[in-house]
Amino acid sequence: MRVRGLRLPGAVAAFEAADRLVTDFDLEEFTEGCLALAAKGRISGYDAEFFFVAERLGRPLVSGDRRLAKAFPGRVLSPEEFVSRS
């Protein structure tokens, strides 16, 4: 919304149009999963999206965000931790 100056109704309409185009992905499951992670870890929905994808891929999330790493220890690695594991 911020990048192009869309107002909320326009953003919602764009999201709904995009949702209709995606036929091979369960967006509702993704949204619910992200919101559950956000609540569990007390993190933003934005951060939860990245964590959710990493979890679905069976990979740790590499992030410099200490709060995120604290919310999900062992599953969110600092760049230094990631490099030391390689």
Side-chain angles (χ1 to χ4, degrees), residues 2 5 11 20-21 25 32 34 43-44 46-47 51 54 56 58-59 62 67 70 73 77-79 86:
R2 287 181 277 174
R20 286 191 295 276
L21 295 173
F25 184 78
E32 289 176 11
C34 288
I43 60 174
S44 71
Y46 179 80
D47 287 341
F51 183 71
R56 291 296 289 267
R59 302 284 187 241
V62 179
R67 183 171 176 218
K70 186 176 179 180
L77 305 176
S78 71
S86 299

Side-chain angles (χ1 to χ4, degrees), residues 66-85:
R66 291 186 193 113
R67 183 171 176 218
L68 185 57
K70 186 176 179 180
F72 299 101
R75 294 165 33 204
V76 177
L77 305 176
S78 71
E80 296 80 13
E81 289 173 311
F82 180 74
V83 169
S84 71
R85 285 186 170 196

Side-chain angles (χ1 to χ4, degrees), residues 4-82:
R4 299 212 172 139
L6 284 177
R7 296 192 185 277
L8 182 57
V12 170
F15 183 82
E16 289 172 348
D19 188 36
R20 286 191 295 276
L21 295 173
V22 178
T23 59
D24 62 344
F25 184 78
D26 185 355
L27 191 58
E28 187 174 325
E29 177 186 339
F30 175 80
T31 301
E32 289 176 11
C34 288
L35 292 174
L37 286 170
K40 179 180 179 184
R42 301 180 62 110
I43 60 174
S44 71
Y46 179 80
D47 287 341
E49 290 176 338
F50 288 98
F51 183 71
F52 182 86
V53 171
E55 287 285 291
R56 291 296 289 267
L57 294 173
R59 302 284 187 241
L61 176 63
V62 179
S63 174
D65 186 329
R66 291 186 193 113
R67 183 171 176 218
L68 185 57
K70 186 176 179 180
F72 299 101
R75 294 165 33 204
V76 177
L77 305 176
S78 71
E80 296 80 13
E81 289 173 311
F82 180 74

